[in-house]
Amino acid sequence: MRILVANVNTTESMTEGIAEAARAVASPGTEIVGITPAFGAESCEGNFESYLAAIAVMDAIQRYEGEYDAVIQAGYGEHGREGLQELLTVPVVDITEAAASTAMYVGRSYSVVTTLDRTVPLIEDRLLLAGMMERCASVRSSGLGVLELEADPERAVEAIVAEAERAVRDDRAEVIVLGCGGMAELKDRVVERCGVPVVDGVQAAVAVAEGLVQLGLTTSKSRTYAPPRPKRVTGFPVPRAS
Amino acid sequence: MRILVANVNTTESMTEGIAEAARAVASPGTEIVGITPAFGAESCEGNFESYLAAIAVMDAIQRYEGEYDAVIQAGYGEHGREGLQELLTVPVVDITEAAASTAMYVGRSYSVVTTLDRTVPLIEDRLLLAGMMERCASVRSSGLGVLELEADPERAVEAIVAEAERAVRDDRAEVIVLGCGGMAELKDRVVERCGVPVVDGVQAAVAVAEGLVQLGLTTSKSRTYAPPRPKRVTGFPVPRAS
Amino acid sequence: MRILVANVNTTESMTEGIAEAARAVASPGTEIVGITPAFGAESCEGNFESYLAAIAVMDAIQRYEGEYDAVIQAGYGEHGREGLQELLTVPVVDITEAAASTAMYVGRSYSVVTTLDRTVPLIEDRLLLAGMMERCASVRSSGLGVLELEADPERAVEAIVAEAERAVRDDRAEVIVLGCGGMAELKDRVVERCGVPVVDGVQAAVAVAEGLVQLGLTTSKSRTYAPPRPKRVTGFPVPRAS
Amino acid sequence: MRILVANVNTTESMTEGIAEAARAVASPGTEIVGITPAFGAESCEGNFESYLAAIAVMDAIQRYEGEYDAVIQAGYGEHGREGLQELLTVPVVDITEAAASTAMYVGRSYSVVTTLDRTVPLIEDRLLLAGMMERCASVRSSGLGVLELEADPERAVEAIVAEAERAVRDDRAEVIVLGCGGMAELKDRVVERCGVPVVDGVQAAVAVAEGLVQLGLTTSKSRTYAPPRPKRVTGFPVPRAS
Amino acid sequence: MRILVANVNTTESMTEGIAEAARAVASPGTEIVGITPAFGAESCEGNFESYLAAIAVMDAIQRYEGEYDAVIQAGYGEHGREGLQELLTVPVVDITEAAASTAMYVGRSYSVVTTLDRTVPLIEDRLLLAGMMERCASVRSSGLGVLELEADPERAVEAIVAEAERAVRDDRAEVIVLGCGGMAELKDRVVERCGVPVVDGVQAAVAVAEGLVQLGLTTSKSRTYAPPRPKRVTGFPVPRAS
Amino acid sequence: MRILVANVNTTESMTEGIAEAARAVASPGTEIVGITPAFGAESCEGNFESYLAAIAVMDAIQRYEGEYDAVIQAGYGEHGREGLQELLTVPVVDITEAAASTAMYVGRSYSVVTTLDRTVPLIEDRLLLAGMMERCASVRSSGLGVLELEADPERAVEAIVAEAERAVRDDRAEVIVLGCGGMAELKDRVVERCGVPVVDGVQAAVAVAEGLVQLGLTTSKSRTYAPPRPKRVTGFPVPRAS
């Protein structure tokens, strides 16, 4: 099976990191294809950038010409999953939700450790809309921007572990979720340091997507995710600036 | 004061209708400027179109060159308000929320009567995220598409009144909210037929926006709606196809 | 238009302060009339006093002989709004709720800073019943009684600012609401000190009330706020002790 | 032990009915004293009347000169319990809450069958504030006014049983609560007709009050129900019109 | 009346302590019979032990040959109450729930102070399922195992009082609930030290059970607690190892 | 990998059906081992039987002598998952939860169609405790007992489809979950008849369990699911009657 893993920002090296993390857990027969949007922000850290990413991901998926069995939207707390579900029939998995549902199977409550403080509300919104907030003990920020994760992995690990420890001690989290697509590469080192299971959203999403394909499930087209009605739409796919 | 009222679809006649509805309740010193996005769908009836509208409205507001005191996003259940709040300092008012908070002052519970069944979840999502779902008795669809409202107002009034009556009788609604920017013109006729107060979102938003300006309030920049961080962003404002 | 602004306690100087705060934001054509109950407590800081205020405000409004377009109940966390809504057709606005709905437009979450610890539960109860608790980050007490606010404004400002800062830092509030009718006069000084928007309930209520009148809305009489049924009632309006 | 059972309206025959219902389940050593307010409405069917009752009951209890071990406020969905708790140290039991907590011990969910449709929101508000709404399947109205219960018991039984049956079938209630102080006398006949346990609020309150006294518990004075602070209060106890 | 008070562990001295605590508040005509399960853990401190206790208590009650009017399950946060309700017609009272509903009558919110940290989730689950979580300010652990309570009462009192003080100060609890069947004996000493009412679950359950019997109520058999359907069941009552 | 799939009742033919359903979706390298409890009820349709099953499943798993990578508890709405999680380190997946989390990926809301009305509350309880109730539109019963499913598959399909249709139309479900371990065999025929995706809990659980193993996750041992403390426990594993 082929799974498209869409980065939400325009940083290709991050797409690569995400795809590698995905491949590390994918089943033998699964091909992972990383997708980088053609426009948008170099990192998503707020609503404006996230809304832009929503369209940029839909645009990139729409322009992809091969076949595929599932799509993973690899932005933590990002907008857009519902739009993709309208446009496609194959399962669409948001990593925020995949991490949450996975974490709930191995602990009674989980905390998300994310990047900047300002992305906390976006993640909370996603979890609330997905109906997966009940067992979320907290969403905590490490204070690091998305690109800083790449620039200084040592510092990132320290900051993330520190928040994870606070989540376990103060918020009673029993599982830690890494709340940023770009954290995938750091996972093993965080696992080493934390006494509780650590879930990476991208990898969780691979397992969820493979599972949905395996079960033969596709997105319900009965109401919310029915295909857009036939009508005049301009500006999509987004015209390439010449 | 000047208030920009942004339609979420590309149908100019609808922008006109919305702006007129806004002017009908605006205070003497208030100038209403209707904004039509440069791209997107001719009507918003789903998540894909709504996400596209989010960017199209931000694009249109960003390109607007005059001064203004507040922005109204005139799409019922549409995405994007949080993005605008990051980009701007002046108050941004979503008509879904303005209708809800207004309705709550004149009745214990309210029901929204909207267009198609498929837009119900979008409205529920907006109300949930805004923390205004508690007093929502129901979101009901009239079964009519956005553009059908314009095409056959008689039928629209009948369908809307029928659902409003069910909301009052079965869901215990004490106020009816017209859940579509394009319903503004039908309001007086629905009021005539319904025994309970009827709130039009666009008009409610004008009152809310004027009130916020009057109180000297601007959007909090402390966390969620802080301006986007300086970074490389491409594709916004959206390049015009040449 | 004329708006009655009812103080909930019997301290006339506080009625004056409240009315002045209201006038400071009222539109040019709006007349603000301060109303002081004929009986009750010199300050409301608990349920007993609040219930007494509920009746005293209804009594005072009932005895008012002029015409008016809206009523503001200017007690933070006080009982009685629903009773007034049964007795009247014009909109009735509780400042607790007006502050909350206003704050929700300029920040993702708000905290209320009120007077004594014992009034916290009353405010929480009001917000819960109004369906506006979801985006309330916290209700915090400054530890000062209502009358102490008037007696020592310097100390009041310090105490309120201190709690506001804790709310922003620890509870993630993005807007501060001044949770006491008598705090209106301190608002400007608190604004100076706090980096986030500050909402005064009385002033927010003026904007909300003007908006409702502007929209031509009156209280729904369909169920909860229907006029009292005709029956034998004694002791209301409350007989004046001779 | 002596328990004061306060009617919330001024109809003495109803006080008698309530007291009798209470006596029917009281332990041998328990004296039940019926209290009728000196003013208020002849029946409570709305917020205005209920707020008036809150003060009238406090006034009547305050003027009672004997000793007593607990107070029952025998109005279904009425305001005032928290005020009494501030004024007194002995336990105060609201029949709305006593019925709910009792019903939850003998079934997974309960429905309240009350009088008029307009009293439904008052009951829901009380249950919400008491934290006892979770297991409430529904609050249903029989369409009968409080005084009609007395005037035509046959019709009352029929109407109540009909709603109880709907609650069991449609709302999945496993217990029925009689939601009006004046229904106490009808209980046995409703039990006969209904296949599920029937809880009368007044009688449940007697059991709860006796239990609290038996356990030596009194109202916590640590915060919400601390005694009113010393201050100037006029108009309470309410002066008798001369 | 006779009430069976079932300990959930196999430690007979603890059954004795529980029964004595029950007798201390039981009405003159009430006989308390302590029941010790024939198998299970010597103390219940987790889900496995609690599930085993659920069956062990049902087994012990099923084998009891006398008559009785009510059953109290005296484990804090333990599984099993719903099963007993299916097997029996007389009221079944879980001490977790009895403590909660009792506490809610004498304060606006309560905190539970229990034994080990790991039992906190079990208690929260019980309260959630019972619909009594709304007014629970917190469930706090003293860090002491069940059997340590018996072994070193001095240390137990200190640890419990310390947590109770934190609950009152930090979580705004107005009542403290002793969250372990084995704490009954320590109650008086904790009361001495704490300024707020203290509720022991076993004693609260006695009052609740007596009340239900007094009201003539039995468990609703309409759906959830209907008797098991006739079918082949093996292994219950649990065969005694020979 | 090897996954133990534990039936909750003693009917071996049902274990076989469940194991076959599991094998139908298991990955090539996955071995499915069906486990039948040594005691309990021939079908689980209530709390008593479910509590007995909790212990019987733990007993059976404990006695299993081979190695395994994950355990699936194949009872819909049954007790016990938390106990297994304490006893084991490998992931434990309850089919009620697996079906819910899977359904949430392919539709905005799901309804469960189960067997008897009396099992509805058990399923609701499980979903509530798992934090997966938010997107559950309804739990509906087909009115058929567990064993009737096997006896008359034609009638079962009709009854299940009828409820599924009601769930889609009246409760706005976008996905149907088959709420009984024994329904696995009927899935294909229900899919044929229903226009929305159908999720079988057993098969969903296989995908979830494989995913967890693939991700290298094991149950968090930090608090709720820590191993039972060393102590005297009798009666487990349950002694075999001689």
Side-chain angles (χ1 to χ4, degrees):
Chain A
M1 92 182 64
R2 182 185 291 158
I3 299 177
L4 306 190
V5 180
N7 185 6
V8 292
N9 62 45
T10 56
T11 304
E12 303 230 1
S13 63
M14 202 166 279
T15 308
E16 262 328 285
I18 289 167
E20 262 175 63
R23 282 178 202 119
V25 299
S27 295
T30 299
E31 179 193 0
I32 299 291
V33 178
I35 302 281
T36 309
F39 59 93
E42 63 186 326
S43 67
C44 278
E45 297 166 325
N47 278 287
F48 159 64
E49 293 158 9
S50 175
Y51 275 122
L52 194 53
I55 292 301
V57 168
M58 290 187 225
D59 173 80
I61 298 294
Q62 197 81 333
R63 287 169 182 274
Y64 182 80
E65 293 185 350
E67 306 228 316
Y68 48 91
D69 299 286
V71 173
I72 290 173
Q73 174 158 327
Y76 215 89
E78 252 55 84
H79 296 281
R81 187 254 298 155
E82 309 94 323
L84 278 171
Q85 284 175 299
E86 285 179 16
L87 297 178
L88 309 176
T89 300
V90 300
V92 178
V93 178
D94 177 293
I95 65 170
T96 325
E97 297 162 27
S101 81
T102 299
M104 288 155 77
Y105 284 109
V106 292
R108 188 173 181 264
S109 63
Y110 65 94
S111 282
V112 180
V113 179
T114 185
T115 53
L116 298 176
D117 191 43
R118 66 179 297 163
T119 64
V120 170
L122 281 110
I123 293 170
E124 291 175 346
D125 280 3
R126 281 290 103 188
L127 293 172
L128 186 64
L129 288 185
M132 291 184 176
M133 194 66 183
E134 284 303 307
R135 289 296 175 190
C136 177
S138 58
V139 182
R140 284 178 166 270
S141 74
S142 63
L144 295 173
V146 172
L147 300 179
E148 291 172 277
L149 292 178
E150 280 205 318
D152 188 348
E154 288 311 312
R155 198 176 139 224
V157 168
E158 285 313 311
I160 288 164
V161 168
E163 284 306 314
E165 285 170 353
R166 282 186 202 108
V168 170
R169 191 188 60 222
D170 299 344
D171 309 333
R172 306 179 63 82
E174 302 186 358
V175 184
I176 293 298
V177 165
L178 296 180
C180 171
M183 285 183 187
E185 297 168 76
L186 315 175
K187 190 191 129 188
D188 291 345
R189 306 175 60 187
V190 182
V191 171
E192 247 170 57
R193 293 277 301 277
C194 278
V196 300
V198 176
V199 176
D200 170 65
V202 173
Q203 297 189 328
V206 171
V208 168
E210 287 189 351
L212 295 171
V213 173
Q214 180 178 348
L215 295 169
L217 290 168
T218 56
T219 298
S220 177
K221 292 291 166 183
S222 68
R223 178 177 292 120
T224 308
Y225 307 128
R229 302 173 89 198
K231 65 178 65 167
R232 188 165 47 81
V233 174
T234 57
F236 190 85
V238 180
R240 294 294 179 253
S242 53
Chain B
M1 94 182 61
R2 181 185 291 158
I3 299 176
L4 305 189
V5 181
N7 185 6
V8 292
N9 62 45
T10 56
T11 303
E12 301 231 2
S13 62
M14 202 166 280
T15 309
E16 262 328 285
I18 289 168
E20 260 175 65
R23 281 178 202 120
V25 299
S27 294
T30 300
E31 181 193 358
I32 299 292
V33 177
I35 302 281
T36 308
F39 58 92
E42 62 186 327
S43 68
C44 278
E45 297 165 326
N47 277 287
F48 159 64
E49 292 158 8
S50 175
Y51 274 122
L52 193 55
I55 292 302
V57 167
M58 289 187 225
D59 173 81
I61 298 293
Q62 198 82 331
R63 287 170 182 272
Y64 182 80
E65 293 185 349
E67 309 227 314
Y68 48 90
D69 300 284
V71 172
I72 290 171
Q73 174 158 329
Y76 216 90
E78 252 56 83
H79 295 282
R81 188 255 299 156
E82 311 94 324
L84 278 170
Q85 284 176 302
E86 285 180 16
L87 297 178
L88 309 177
T89 301
V90 300
V92 178
V93 178
D94 176 294
I95 64 170
T96 325
E97 296 163 28
S101 81
T102 299
M104 288 156 78
Y105 283 109
V106 291
R108 188 174 181 263
S109 63
Y110 66 93
S111 281
V112 180
V113 180
T114 186
T115 53
L116 298 176
D117 192 43
R118 66 181 295 163
T119 64
V120 170
L122 282 111
I123 294 171
E124 290 175 347
D125 280 4
R126 282 289 104 187
L127 293 172
L128 186 64
L129 287 184
M132 291 184 178
M133 195 65 182
E134 285 302 307
R135 289 298 175 189
C136 178
S138 58
V139 183
R140 284 178 167 270
S141 73
S142 64
L144 296 173
V146 171
L147 299 180
E148 292 172 278
L149 293 178
E150 278 203 320
D152 187 348
E154 289 311 312
R155 197 175 138 227
V157 168
E158 285 313 310
I160 290 164
V161 168
E163 283 306 314
E165 284 170 353
R166 281 185 204 107
V168 170
R169 190 188 60 221
D170 298 345
D171 310 333
R172 305 180 63 83
E174 303 187 358
V175 184
I176 294 298
V177 165
L178 296 180
C180 171
M183 284 182 188
E185 297 168 76
L186 315 176
K187 189 190 129 188
D188 291 344
R189 304 176 59 188
V190 182
V191 171
E192 248 169 56
R193 293 279 299 278
C194 279
V196 300
V198 175
V199 175
D200 170 66
V202 174
Q203 298 190 327
V206 171
V208 168
E210 287 189 351
L212 295 171
V213 174
Q214 181 178 349
L215 294 169
L217 290 167
T218 56
T219 298
S220 179
K221 291 292 164 182
S222 67
R223 179 176 290 119
T224 308
Y225 308 127
R229 302 173 89 199
K231 66 177 65 165
R232 189 166 47 81
V233 174
T234 56
F236 190 84
V238 179
R240 294 295 177 254
S242 50
Chain C
M1 91 181 66
R2 182 185 289 157
I3 299 176
L4 305 189
V5 181
N7 185 7
V8 292
N9 62 45
T10 56
T11 303
E12 302 231 358
S13 63
M14 201 165 281
T15 308
E16 262 328 286
I18 289 168
E20 260 174 64
R23 281 178 203 121
V25 298
S27 295
T30 300
E31 180 193 0
I32 299 292
V33 178
I35 302 282
T36 309
F39 58 94
E42 63 186 327
S43 67
C44 277
E45 297 166 325
N47 277 288
F48 159 64
E49 293 159 10
S50 175
Y51 275 122
L52 194 54
I55 292 301
V57 167
M58 290 186 225
D59 173 81
I61 298 295
Q62 197 81 333
R63 287 170 180 273
Y64 182 80
E65 292 185 349
E67 307 227 315
Y68 49 90
D69 299 284
V71 172
I72 290 171
Q73 174 158 329
Y76 216 89
E78 251 56 83
H79 296 282
R81 188 256 297 155
E82 309 94 324
L84 278 171
Q85 284 176 300
E86 285 179 15
L87 297 178
L88 308 175
T89 300
V90 300
V92 177
V93 179
D94 177 294
I95 65 170
T96 325
E97 296 163 26
S101 81
T102 299
M104 288 156 78
Y105 283 108
V106 292
R108 188 173 180 266
S109 62
Y110 66 92
S111 281
V112 181
V113 180
T114 186
T115 53
L116 297 176
D117 192 44
R118 65 180 297 163
T119 65
V120 170
L122 282 109
I123 293 170
E124 292 175 346
D125 280 3
R126 283 288 105 188
L127 292 172
L128 186 64
L129 287 184
M132 291 184 176
M133 195 65 182
E134 285 303 307
R135 289 297 174 188
C136 179
S138 59
V139 182
R140 284 179 166 270
S141 74
S142 64
L144 295 173
V146 172
L147 299 179
E148 290 171 278
L149 292 179
E150 280 204 318
D152 187 347
E154 288 312 311
R155 198 176 139 225
V157 169
E158 285 313 310
I160 289 164
V161 168
E163 283 306 314
E165 285 171 353
R166 280 185 204 109
V168 169
R169 191 188 59 222
D170 299 344
D171 309 333
R172 305 179 63 82
E174 301 186 359
V175 184
I176 294 297
V177 164
L178 297 179
C180 171
M183 283 182 188
E185 297 168 76
L186 314 176
K187 189 191 128 188
D188 291 345
R189 305 174 60 185
V190 182
V191 171
E192 248 168 57
R193 293 278 301 279
C194 279
V196 299
V198 176
V199 175
D200 170 65
V202 173
Q203 297 189 329
V206 171
V208 169
E210 287 189 351
L212 295 172
V213 174
Q214 182 178 347
L215 294 169
L217 290 168
T218 55
T219 299
S220 178
K221 291 292 165 182
S222 69
R223 179 177 292 118
T224 309
Y225 307 127
R229 301 173 90 197
K231 66 177 66 167
R232 190 165 46 82
V233 174
T234 58
F236 190 84
V238 179
R240 295 293 178 255
S242 51
Chain D
M1 94 182 63
R2 181 186 289 159
I3 299 177
L4 304 189
V5 181
N7 185 7
V8 291
N9 62 45
T10 56
T11 303
E12 303 231 359
S13 63
M14 201 165 281
T15 309
E16 263 327 287
I18 290 167
E20 261 173 65
R23 281 178 203 119
V25 299
S27 294
T30 299
E31 179 192 1
I32 299 292
V33 177
I35 301 282
T36 309
F39 58 93
E42 63 187 326
S43 67
C44 277
E45 296 166 325
N47 277 287
F48 159 64
E49 293 159 9
S50 174
Y51 275 123
L52 194 54
I55 293 301
V57 167
M58 290 187 224
D59 173 82
I61 299 294
Q62 197 81 331
R63 286 169 182 273
Y64 182 81
E65 293 185 350
E67 308 227 314
Y68 49 91
D69 300 284
V71 172
I72 289 171
Q73 175 159 327
Y76 216 90
E78 252 55 85
H79 295 282
R81 186 257 297 157
E82 310 94 324
L84 278 170
Q85 283 175 301
E86 285 180 16
L87 297 178
L88 309 176
T89 300
V90 299
V92 177
V93 179
D94 176 294
I95 64 169
T96 325
E97 297 163 27
S101 80
T102 299
M104 288 156 76
Y105 283 109
V106 291
R108 190 174 180 262
S109 62
Y110 65 93
S111 282
V112 180
V113 180
T114 185
T115 52
L116 297 176
D117 192 43
R118 66 179 297 163
T119 64
V120 170
L122 283 110
I123 293 171
E124 290 175 347
D125 280 4
R126 282 290 104 189
L127 292 172
L128 186 64
L129 288 184
M132 291 184 177
M133 195 65 182
E134 285 304 307
R135 289 298 175 188
C136 178
S138 59
V139 182
R140 286 179 165 268
S141 73
S142 64
L144 296 173
V146 172
L147 300 179
E148 292 171 277
L149 293 178
E150 281 204 317
D152 187 348
E154 289 312 312
R155 198 177 137 224
V157 168
E158 285 313 310
I160 289 164
V161 168
E163 283 306 313
E165 284 170 353
R166 280 185 203 108
V168 169
R169 191 189 59 221
D170 299 344
D171 310 333
R172 305 180 61 84
E174 302 186 358
V175 184
I176 294 298
V177 165
L178 296 180
C180 171
M183 284 183 189
E185 297 168 77
L186 315 176
K187 189 190 128 187
D188 290 344
R189 306 176 57 187
V190 182
V191 171
E192 248 169 57
R193 293 277 301 277
C194 278
V196 299
V198 176
V199 175
D200 171 65
V202 173
Q203 297 188 329
V206 171
V208 169
E210 287 189 352
L212 295 171
V213 173
Q214 182 178 348
L215 294 168
L217 290 167
T218 56
T219 298
S220 178
K221 291 294 165 181
S222 68
R223 179 176 291 120
T224 309
Y225 307 127
R229 303 174 88 198
K231 66 178 64 167
R232 188 166 48 84
V233 174
T234 56
F236 190 85
V238 180
R240 294 295 178 254
S242 53
Chain E
M1 91 181 66
R2 181 185 289 160
I3 299 177
L4 306 189
V5 181
N7 185 7
V8 291
N9 62 44
T10 56
T11 303
E12 302 230 0
S13 63
M14 201 165 280
T15 309
E16 260 330 284
I18 289 167
E20 259 174 66
R23 281 178 202 118
V25 299
S27 295
T30 300
E31 179 193 1
I32 299 292
V33 178
I35 302 282
T36 308
F39 58 93
E42 63 186 325
S43 66
C44 277
E45 297 166 325
N47 277 288
F48 158 64
E49 292 159 10
S50 175
Y51 276 121
L52 194 54
I55 293 301
V57 167
M58 290 187 226
D59 173 80
I61 298 294
Q62 198 80 334
R63 287 170 181 273
Y64 182 81
E65 293 184 349
E67 308 228 314
Y68 49 90
D69 300 285
V71 171
I72 290 172
Q73 174 157 329
Y76 215 90
E78 252 55 84
H79 295 282
R81 187 254 299 155
E82 310 94 323
L84 278 171
Q85 284 176 299
E86 285 179 16
L87 296 179
L88 309 175
T89 299
V90 300
V92 178
V93 179
D94 176 293
I95 65 170
T96 324
E97 297 163 26
S101 80
T102 299
M104 287 156 78
Y105 284 108
V106 292
R108 187 172 181 265
S109 62
Y110 65 93
S111 282
V112 180
V113 180
T114 185
T115 53
L116 296 176
D117 192 43
R118 67 180 295 163
T119 64
V120 170
L122 282 110
I123 293 171
E124 291 175 347
D125 280 3
R126 282 288 105 190
L127 292 172
L128 186 63
L129 288 185
M132 290 185 178
M133 196 64 183
E134 285 303 307
R135 291 297 174 189
C136 178
S138 59
V139 182
R140 285 177 166 272
S141 74
S142 64
L144 296 174
V146 171
L147 299 179
E148 291 171 279
L149 293 178
E150 279 204 317
D152 187 348
E154 288 310 313
R155 198 176 138 225
V157 167
E158 285 313 311
I160 288 164
V161 167
E163 283 306 315
E165 284 170 354
R166 281 185 204 109
V168 169
R169 191 188 59 222
D170 299 344
D171 309 333
R172 306 179 63 81
E174 303 187 358
V175 183
I176 294 298
V177 165
L178 296 180
C180 170
M183 285 182 187
E185 296 167 77
L186 313 175
K187 189 190 130 189
D188 291 345
R189 304 175 59 187
V190 182
V191 171
E192 247 168 57
R193 292 278 301 278
C194 279
V196 300
V198 176
V199 175
D200 170 65
V202 174
Q203 297 189 328
V206 171
V208 168
E210 288 189 349
L212 295 172
V213 173
Q214 180 178 348
L215 294 169
L217 289 167
T218 56
T219 298
S220 178
K221 291 292 166 183
S222 67
R223 177 176 294 118
T224 309
Y225 307 127
R229 300 174 90 200
K231 66 178 65 165
R232 187 166 47 83
V233 175
T234 56
F236 190 86
V238 179
R240 294 294 178 254
S242 52
Chain F
M1 93 182 65
R2 182 185 290 159
I3 299 176
L4 305 189
V5 182
N7 185 7
V8 292
N9 62 46
T10 56
T11 304
E12 302 231 1
S13 62
M14 201 166 281
T15 308
E16 262 328 286
I18 289 168
E20 259 174 66
R23 281 177 203 121
V25 298
S27 295
T30 300
E31 178 193 0
I32 299 292
V33 178
I35 302 282
T36 308
F39 57 94
E42 63 186 326
S43 67
C44 278
E45 297 165 325
N47 277 287
F48 158 65
E49 292 159 9
S50 174
Y51 274 122
L52 193 55
I55 292 302
V57 167
M58 290 187 225
D59 173 81
I61 298 294
Q62 198 81 333
R63 288 170 181 272
Y64 182 80
E65 292 185 351
E67 307 228 315
Y68 49 92
D69 300 285
V71 172
I72 289 171
Q73 174 157 331
Y76 216 89
E78 251 56 84
H79 295 282
R81 187 254 299 156
E82 310 94 324
L84 277 171
Q85 285 176 300
E86 286 180 15
L87 297 178
L88 308 175
T89 301
V90 300
V92 179
V93 179
D94 176 293
I95 64 169
T96 325
E97 296 163 28
S101 81
T102 298
M104 288 156 77
Y105 283 108
V106 291
R108 188 173 182 263
S109 62
Y110 66 93
S111 281
V112 181
V113 179
T114 186
T115 52
L116 297 177
D117 192 44
R118 66 181 295 164
T119 64
V120 171
L122 282 110
I123 293 171
E124 291 175 347
D125 280 4
R126 282 289 105 190
L127 292 172
L128 186 64
L129 288 184
M132 291 184 176
M133 194 65 181
E134 286 301 309
R135 291 295 174 191
C136 178
S138 58
V139 182
R140 284 178 166 270
S141 73
S142 64
L144 297 173
V146 171
L147 299 179
E148 291 171 278
L149 294 178
E150 281 204 318
D152 187 350
E154 288 310 313
R155 197 175 138 224
V157 169
E158 285 312 310
I160 289 164
V161 168
E163 283 306 314
E165 284 170 354
R166 281 185 203 108
V168 170
R169 191 188 58 221
D170 299 343
D171 309 334
R172 305 179 62 83
E174 303 187 357
V175 184
I176 293 299
V177 164
L178 296 180
C180 171
M183 284 183 190
E185 297 168 76
L186 315 177
K187 191 191 127 187
D188 291 344
R189 306 176 58 188
V190 182
V191 171
E192 247 169 57
R193 292 278 302 277
C194 278
V196 300
V198 175
V199 176
D200 171 65
V202 173
Q203 298 189 329
V206 170
V208 168
E210 287 189 351
L212 295 171
V213 174
Q214 180 178 348
L215 295 169
L217 290 167
T218 56
T219 298
S220 178
K221 291 292 166 183
S222 68
R223 181 177 289 119
T224 309
Y225 308 126
R229 304 173 88 198
K231 65 178 65 166
R232 188 166 48 81
V233 174
T234 56
F236 189 86
V238 180
R240 294 295 178 253
S242 53

